[in-house]
Amino acid sequence: MRSSLLLHQIRIHQSRLGQGARRRLRRRDQRGDVPGWVLVTVMTISIGVALWGVAQPQMVGILQSALNSVK
């Protein structure tokens, strides 16, 4: 009940907004979640760096073996 009242109040408020304000709200909604993407990118890079730090000799060996088998 309370959430439906809140939604009703939001709709009333939005209907009172001017056209420019509504346009700005729509643009803001379409931008996406930039901080979320930044977090995912930083975490992915961190995992890659951590894996490289732990398994560097093995990964270099695998890469060299693969490159030598292609020759």
Side-chain angles (χ1 to χ4, degrees):
M1 177 76 177
R2 186 177 183 144
S3 62
S4 63
L5 177 63
L6 181 62
L7 286 174
H8 180 69
Q9 288 173 344
I10 289 172
R11 287 189 187 120
I12 290 172
H13 179 69
Q14 286 177 341
S15 68
R16 291 179 182 165
L17 290 174
Q19 212 171 13
R22 271 184 271 171
R23 201 174 304 128
R24 282 192 299 275
L25 281 174
R26 266 187 261 126
R27 265 189 268 139
R28 190 178 325 153
D29 290 341
Q30 293 174 358
R31 285 189 308 186
D33 189 13
V34 175
W37 285 106
V38 171
L39 181 63
V40 168
T41 303
V42 169
M43 289 177 66
T44 303
I45 291 170
S46 301
I47 290 170
V49 168
L51 284 174
W52 185 259
V54 171
Q56 180 183 7
Q58 294 86 358
M59 293 172 89
V60 169
I62 291 170
L63 180 61
Q64 285 177 345
S65 173
L67 291 175
N68 288 335
S69 69
V70 173
K71 288 183 181 178

